[in-house]
Amino acid sequence: MEIKELLTMGREIWGEEKLSLSQIIVRLGKVYGDMCRWERNAPKDKELHTDEELKKELGNIIFSTIRFCDDLNYDPEDCIKAAIECQKKFEKEVK
């Protein structure tokens, strides 16, 4: 799927309301917390800790972040390109 298609799909699900940065941080924190809980692997959570659950959480980060970029009036593709360049630069610096 193309990034633009994913953004359209996200808007179909969540509507056109744009979140503020603080609202986005809270939502990312929720998913991050779910991943932390998965890693902690407390006995009460063990039955939920499947590969499918972790894949879902990673997908939530990817899918939602596309919409979050747009919420802040950034082109998601530009954000991805900037991240790629930053990671390439960082990788070269650590070698």
Side-chain angles (χ1 to χ4, degrees):
M1 261 186 231
E2 298 278 329
I3 301 294
K4 289 179 184 183
E5 291 175 288
L6 293 170
L7 178 56
T8 299
M9 192 180 306
R11 290 288 173 218
E12 287 172 0
I13 294 168
W14 295 103
E16 293 300 321
E17 179 185 353
K18 296 199 174 197
L19 301 176
S20 67
L21 181 58
S22 60
Q23 291 171 311
I24 290 167
I25 291 168
V26 169
R27 283 156 179 83
L28 284 172
K30 193 270 183 212
V31 176
Y32 177 71
D34 289 345
M35 291 177 70
C36 290
R37 200 168 11 271
W38 198 95
E39 178 60 23
R40 182 183 62 200
N41 207 23
K44 68 179 184 70
D45 298 325
K46 281 191 185 281
E47 70 181 49
L48 299 174
H49 296 166
T50 63
D51 284 341
E52 289 304 311
E53 182 66 18
L54 186 55
K55 285 178 4 183
K56 179 199 74 167
E57 295 301 344
L58 290 168
N60 279 332
I61 290 173
I62 295 165
F63 186 51
S64 295
T65 301
I66 292 168
R67 192 178 77 257
F68 297 159
C69 292
D70 184 67
D71 286 346
L72 298 174
N73 298 312
Y74 297 126
D75 181 323
E77 290 185 30
D78 289 344
C79 294
I80 292 168
K81 288 175 190 172
I84 290 168
E85 289 307 311
C86 179
Q87 289 184 29
K88 285 180 181 179
K89 181 180 175 191
F90 179 81
E91 192 276 333
K92 286 180 184 175
E93 291 173 357
V94 296
K95 281 190 172 182

